[in-house]
Amino acid sequence: MSLYLPDNVRVNHERFKLFITKEQIETRLQELGCQIDAEYAGKKPIFIGVLNGAFIFLADLMRYVSIPCEVDFFKLSSYGDEKVSSGKVTERKDLDAQIEGRHVIIVEDIVDTGLSMSYILNLMKHKNPASVKIVTLLHKPGAMRFDVTLDYIGFEIPTLFVLGYGLDYAQEGRNLAQIYVLDADGGNGE
Ligand code: IMP
Ligand code: MG
């Protein structure tokens, strides 16, 4: 079986169409990896992936980074099973690593309103890291409601619901190897 690369897909009775291809993702990850290599030369950053959505992006991004680095995970949940944010953030798993004095790079799949990111940033800063930067694969500038600086952005996208490449809709669709957008013309139902 090769990578799962359909042009259109139905997830939880809704149609999604291809939005960002595997090639576009790879090219962008290569650029981000180079930038991180250059900006963290001589340091050993720790990537902190925000579960569940960031697991694929983090795994791929790390493989474009050649400086010494470490990884840990933090688990949050804010969306529930809907396509709009619940507006509440719950912490499900704290870090295992000690990040005091460390250069932290928070890795997120998507920043929508910015609520999750501002919550995580606040928690991280209390642990006294040497520095904290954020890398997000996707950003919806039109939905942003919190004042958070995003240091590295893969793609800026319109305020539309997307899935695939780690991002889910009611927990499904994370296994898609590319990014898909809700197809407004695709209709509902089977
Ligand atoms: P925020 O706290 O509003 O910025 O939302 C961030 C979280 O909501 C992300 O980490 C995702 O897990 C989820 N999310 C936001 N937009 C989307 C989307 O279009 N598709 C899937 N998940 C999303
Ligand atoms: Mg997420």
Side-chain angles (χ1 to χ4, degrees):
M1 179 73 184
S2 49
L3 283 178
Y4 184 30
L5 300 165
D7 286 336
N8 295 285
V9 66
R10 196 177 280 279
V11 176
N12 289 315
H13 309 289
E14 304 224 38
R15 277 184 65 81
F16 290 82
K17 61 184 177 193
L18 184 56
F19 186 49
I20 304 176
T21 66
K22 181 174 164 295
E23 289 73 24
Q24 289 173 299
I25 296 171
E26 281 169 0
T27 303
R28 194 67 190 111
L29 262 50
Q30 200 173 346
E31 292 166 355
L32 290 172
C34 284
Q35 242 182 301
I36 291 170
D37 270 353
E39 288 172 28
Y40 286 86
K43 297 178 180 145
K44 186 168 68 173
I46 178 163
F47 290 101
I48 297 190
V50 185
L51 294 173
N52 292 337
F55 77 113
I56 292 180
F57 173 46
L58 172 54
D60 282 350
L61 177 66
M62 270 192 95
R63 284 176 281 179
Y64 287 100
V65 169
S66 62
I67 55 165
C69 58
E70 295 179 15
V71 66
D72 195 13
F73 293 94
F74 185 84
K75 184 160 180 167
L76 269 193
S77 141
S78 69
Y79 250 52
D81 285 345
E82 304 303 323
K83 292 200 292 290
V84 286
S85 176
S86 64
K88 284 186 222 121
V89 179
T90 40
E91 184 182 326
R92 298 278 178 84
K93 180 203 165 293
D94 198 1
L95 294 179
D96 292 320
Q98 297 294 327
I99 59 163
E100 186 167 348
R102 301 294 310 271
H103 295 285
V104 168
I105 304 176
I106 301 172
V107 184
E108 179 61 298
D109 52 354
I110 185 163
V111 176
D112 184 18
T113 64
L115 171 68
S116 311
M117 240 336 122
S118 66
Y119 179 89
I120 296 171
L121 261 184
N122 202 26
L123 284 178
M124 296 299 153
K125 284 181 180 162
H126 280 96
K127 296 176 190 273
N128 298 318
S131 68
V132 186
K133 284 198 177 184
I134 296 170
V135 53
T136 184
L137 175 64
L138 302 171
H139 175 39
K140 296 181 190 171
M144 201 68 167
R145 286 198 282 114
F146 292 80
D147 183 23
V148 180
T149 303
L150 304 174
D151 303 282
Y152 307 98
I153 297 171
F155 302 91
E156 287 199 340
I157 63 168
T159 310
L160 298 170
F161 190 78
V162 293
L163 95 171
Y165 198 72
L167 290 112
D168 73 305
Y169 172 28
Q171 298 307 323
E172 282 185 43
R174 298 192 197 273
N175 53 319
L176 289 156
Q178 309 182 95
I179 297 167
Y180 294 77
V181 66
L182 194 61
D183 186 356
D185 304 324
N188 290 336
E190 296 300 311

